[in-house]
Amino acid sequence: MSLTQDTIQNEVRQGLIPLFPRLWRYCIVVTGNPDRANDVAQAACVRALEKAHQFQAGTKLDRWVFRIAQRLWLNELRSDAVRQGGGMATLDEIDLPDPGPDAETNAYARQVMMEVMGLPEAQRTTVLLVYVEGYSYREACEILDIPIGTVMSRLAAARTSLTKKLRTEKGMMS
Amino acid sequence: MTSYATLTDEDLTAFLDGEVSEARSREIEARVNADPYLQQRLEALALDTELIHDAFGDLLLQAPGAPALLGSSAVTAPPTRRIWPSLVAASLAGALFAGGLGAFFADGGPQNDWRGYVASYQALYVGKTLSHLDRSDGTKAAELAIVADTIGKDIALDALTAEGSLDYKRAQILGFKGRPLIQLAFLSKMGEPLALCIIRGEAGADEAMTSAAMEGLSAASWARDGFAYILIGGTDQAAVDSAAQHFAAVL
């Protein structure tokens, strides 16, 4: 490995450390399960270090790594998760980390999160990128490798069902 | 070119997300204003995305440390990680607090009392912790109902907003040694963050209101009918006392 490659790998490594919580959250939303999120997030870090030489200095590391995680999940790990079936939660079952009795938790926020997690995988992933991470449509479609029209239709569908669900819940509580 | 074509849900979504040009935005706005049916459709898409953004904030706090392959011996706390001292007592001590905050707690530390922990926590709040929150009364009431229920108390939104000098912002469930503790957060007119914290206490252990400065913040605390309270924040003791009297009367 040349000195330059070594430097780039170090840059990627240093960048991944503070990015890891966001990467892990993204993986939770994509996979719907903390165990799978751990696997995908770790695998994405390994892949990012292996491919560090492809990272263009000065571009955004977060988008690049999210894209790596997305591809890993869709191309490799998702089918493993489906095959394993039995012992593992199915892909339809959403499991979120337990906040624990002492953790600071906002109960309404958790309900909102569960509603988002109840959306189809493609929709909730797009919601996370645009409404939580704050990416533009253009950035989200690059991460997900889909046309911009697909980003728009996923968000329109997500908005329709979330608006309805959250209004119903609010109505029930008030 | 497509100006007068039917507006799809995708068009309206892009409009709400600020993803259309200024000219297109003005055009959609004009068409929506002139068409009740379009207004209904827009309303059906009017999701509070800030709520979604905030709802996923806690997941960052639950993320495991970065994997060892990144060569990070210290667990990296994300910048938004909130510090709650009872977590130290639980299991997250060590690496998480090895930096400046470790020193903060080691240096005299908070009192071994829930109010001391609240004061230490409140000392980390700044106006900006709360100033970006701008939510509807409906959202606040729904949140408050869930949060207040964890300590088995009914709290009406009106009781928190009628006081006048404080702008009510948010309710959260915290924990102290396994017991739920609720935090109701306010901003003063001066933009200072204040919190009214309530924990279920011993029945019959009523305490008259006492005022004291804690962690450099003005505070008033009292206990009544099985609940213990503290109002803390800012440096205007008279204002805190006055607001505390109001809360003691209505809660």
Side-chain angles (χ1 to χ4, degrees):
Chain A
M1 186 179 280
S2 74
L3 188 61
T4 322
Q5 279 187 357
D6 205 20
T7 312
I8 293 174
Q9 195 181 59
N10 261 334
E11 254 179 50
V12 169
R13 191 193 307 275
Q14 289 306 315
L16 282 171
I17 296 171
L19 179 58
F20 192 77
R22 282 172 57 209
L23 173 64
W24 181 81
R25 175 173 69 176
Y26 177 64
C27 294
I28 284 267
V29 173
V30 171
T31 67
N33 171 293
D35 291 335
R36 288 197 286 259
N38 292 343
D39 291 348
V40 178
Q42 290 230 12
C45 289
V46 172
R47 188 65 56 91
L49 290 177
E50 283 169 3
K51 293 185 174 279
H53 60 282
Q54 292 179 5
F55 176 67
Q56 293 175 353
T59 61
K60 298 280 187 188
L61 182 68
D62 52 354
R63 286 184 233 164
W64 186 65
V65 176
F66 281 14
R67 188 174 171 155
I68 289 175
Q70 176 71 18
R71 284 185 176 173
L72 268 171
W73 170 244
L74 286 185
N75 300 340
E76 301 174 32
L77 301 169
R78 192 177 195 283
S79 51
D80 288 350
V82 172
R83 266 199 304 277
Q84 283 175 5
M88 292 273 282
T90 71
L91 289 183
D92 296 337
E93 284 175 44
I94 297 300
D95 182 17
L96 288 177
D98 185 351
D102 268 340
E104 179 181 348
T105 310
N106 177 328
Y108 186 54
R110 196 165 172 87
Q111 278 194 0
V112 171
M113 188 160 68
M114 286 309 291
E115 293 298 357
V116 173
M117 294 303 289
L119 295 172
E121 185 182 315
Q123 284 181 30
R124 66 178 189 247
T125 302
T126 315
V127 164
L128 188 278
L129 290 177
V130 177
Y131 298 143
V132 180
E133 288 290 344
Y135 290 117
S136 67
Y137 286 6
R138 176 67 55 197
E139 290 164 337
C141 76
E142 280 168 14
I143 292 167
L144 298 171
D145 209 6
I146 54 176
I148 201 161
T150 309
V151 169
M152 288 164 73
S153 59
R154 286 181 183 180
L155 291 176
R159 272 181 175 270
T160 305
S161 53
L162 287 175
T163 304
K164 204 180 295 172
K165 280 181 187 161
L166 293 175
R167 273 188 197 148
T168 311
E169 272 176 19
K170 225 187 268 178
M172 278 162 51
M173 283 183 291
S174 57
Chain B
M1 186 178 68
T2 55
S3 295
Y4 292 98
T6 308
L7 289 174
T8 62
D9 279 358
E10 284 77 5
D11 292 327
L12 295 174
T13 294
F15 166 70
L16 289 168
D17 287 339
E19 286 269 353
V20 295
S21 69
E22 216 171 289
R24 177 75 166 152
S25 177
R26 276 199 300 272
E27 180 220 322
I28 294 178
E29 212 175 309
R31 288 178 64 179
V32 168
N33 281 335
D35 182 347
Y37 172 65
L38 263 185
Q39 280 167 27
Q40 272 180 17
R41 285 184 47 212
L42 193 67
E43 210 167 289
L45 292 165
L47 180 68
D48 181 355
T49 56
E50 192 64 27
L51 192 65
I52 307 282
H53 174 271
D54 291 350
F56 279 81
D58 277 355
L59 270 187
L60 291 177
L61 317 184
Q62 294 168 261
L69 67 103
L70 297 178
S72 56
S73 53
V75 176
T76 306
T80 51
R81 188 182 290 275
R82 297 200 191 118
I83 308 303
W84 181 241
S86 68
L87 289 177
V88 179
S91 60
L92 290 177
L96 202 70
F97 295 95
L101 285 161
F104 167 75
F105 288 116
D107 183 20
Q111 297 170 32
N112 186 23
D113 168 285
W114 73 277
R115 293 183 176 106
Y117 283 104
V118 165
S120 299
Y121 187 45
Q122 187 64 23
L124 300 177
Y125 270 58
V126 292
K128 283 186 177 165
T129 312
L130 302 165
S131 59
H132 66 285
L133 295 174
D134 182 17
R135 298 177 301 155
S136 68
D137 282 354
T139 303
K140 287 183 194 169
E143 176 187 79
L144 181 61
I146 293 171
V147 169
D149 188 53
T150 60
I151 57 165
K153 189 167 172 61
D154 279 335
I155 301 177
L157 183 60
D158 285 354
L160 303 180
T161 55
E163 198 276 329
S165 72
L166 300 175
D167 180 14
Y168 172 65
K169 288 293 192 181
R170 180 179 69 188
Q172 293 193 117
I173 302 165
L174 308 178
F176 179 74
K177 297 186 176 169
R179 293 153 68 197
L181 160 68
I182 69 168
Q183 182 214 46
L184 310 172
F186 302 82
L187 269 187
S188 73
K189 293 228 182 324
M190 307 291 290
E192 294 167 319
L194 282 90
L196 173 63
C197 292
I198 311 173
I199 194 168
R200 199 186 256 288
E202 307 300 321
D206 289 6
E207 288 170 31
M209 192 173 292
T210 54
S211 304
M214 299 172 79
E215 299 283 341
L217 301 171
S218 300
S221 58
W222 69 101
R224 208 177 59 205
D225 299 335
F227 293 97
Y229 304 77
I230 182 170
L231 178 67
I232 182 166
T235 50
D236 184 344
Q237 187 67 53
V240 167
D241 289 348
S242 154
Q245 293 289 354
H246 164 81
F247 291 131
V250 298
L251 294 179

